Amino acid sequence: MPREQLNAAALDTLFREARTHNVWQAGEVSDIDIEAIYALMKFGPTSANCCPARFVWVRSDAAKARLQPFLDASNVEKTRAAPVTVIVAHDLEFFDQLPRLFPHDQTARSWFAGQPEKIQTTAFRNGTLQGAYLMMAARALGFDCGPMSGFDNAALDAEYFKGTSLRSNFLVNIGHGDASKLFPRSPRLDFVDANRVE
């Protein structure tokens, strides 16, 4: 039986009316909210269910101060004001979890072990997907998002992930945005500009 299509309001929340926010209303993203966002996003698909994304939720004033030196100047104030900033990272040793995450094929770890290029490509691709699922989950639960790539990845990794197999990808501010501060939505490509059906 076909799945029921989401109604127009849900599609607006996730896509048509959703915007990237840079100005934030007062309020917090609680531990319960954070766990609810993760509990929803974790069901997004990844290849071989590899789930390489790892998330650091930067929320306190002290944590924001630790993050600030790695941000581009244009991202400092919006990040300071956001209720929480998520460092979306990926684990280059994700394949060690495959016996648990892909239990029906216990050889899955061997598909990656000792193959650094395949590891990097798989971790980055699927970790990026999971970062997108994180934003969709946050939107579905009533939050706004402000994804950012303006920061020093190498310096941030040295601060947060030194001696580990984690590498940063991008940042996402999450909270309730101030819609009055939004500028008009930028254009998107039309179907004919971005698609070819064969």
Side-chain angles (χ1 to χ4, degrees):
M1 182 175 182
R3 291 187 179 275
E4 184 177 343
Q5 181 174 309
L6 295 178
N7 63 33
L11 295 175
D12 286 345
T13 295
L14 294 175
F15 293 101
R16 293 187 293 236
E17 299 298 328
R19 298 291 305 279
T20 294
H21 281 264
N22 295 311
V23 181
W24 302 94
Q25 300 180 53
E28 69 168 9
V29 178
S30 69
D31 288 347
I32 292 172
D33 295 327
I34 289 170
E35 291 182 21
I37 292 168
Y38 180 78
L40 189 57
M41 68 73 53
K42 71 181 181 180
F43 292 110
T46 55
S47 60
N49 197 38
C50 63
C51 302
R54 304 292 182 265
F55 306 99
V56 178
W57 300 77
V58 180
R59 189 172 59 181
S60 69
D61 290 342
K64 292 287 185 75
R66 181 186 181 197
L67 178 62
Q68 180 175 326
F70 311 111
L71 302 173
D72 288 0
S74 61
N75 287 332
V76 170
E77 179 53 30
K78 67 180 78 172
T79 300
R80 186 201 62 75
V84 67
T85 302
V86 187
I87 302 171
V88 178
H90 50 270
D91 186 356
L92 295 176
E93 294 179 356
F94 68 87
F95 53 91
D96 285 337
Q97 297 291 332
L98 286 177
R100 172 187 175 194
L101 296 175
F102 204 65
H104 53 281
D105 190 337
Q106 287 296 302
T107 70
R109 184 184 182 281
S110 68
W111 304 345
F112 300 96
Q115 301 183 69
E117 185 174 343
K118 188 174 185 181
I119 289 168
Q120 169 62 32
T121 300
T122 302
F124 181 75
R125 176 186 297 128
N126 289 278
T128 302
L129 280 173
Q130 289 189 282
Y133 301 147
L134 179 87
M135 291 190 288
M136 301 309 287
R139 287 176 173 179
L141 295 175
F143 294 99
D144 296 304
C145 299
M148 301 177 293
S149 56
F151 68 101
D152 186 333
N153 288 78
L156 184 148
D157 288 352
E159 173 69 19
Y160 284 85
F161 305 133
K162 184 176 181 179
T164 77
S165 55
L166 303 188
R167 300 294 181 271
S168 61
N169 187 344
F170 64 100
L171 308 175
V172 185
N173 288 329
I174 296 177
H176 294 109
D178 184 348
S180 71
K181 305 297 185 185
L182 290 170
F183 51 81
R185 183 190 286 278
S186 298
R188 299 298 197 269
L189 294 175
D190 292 332
F191 184 87
V192 296
D193 298 317
N195 299 270
R196 182 175 70 205
V197 180
E198 297 184 343

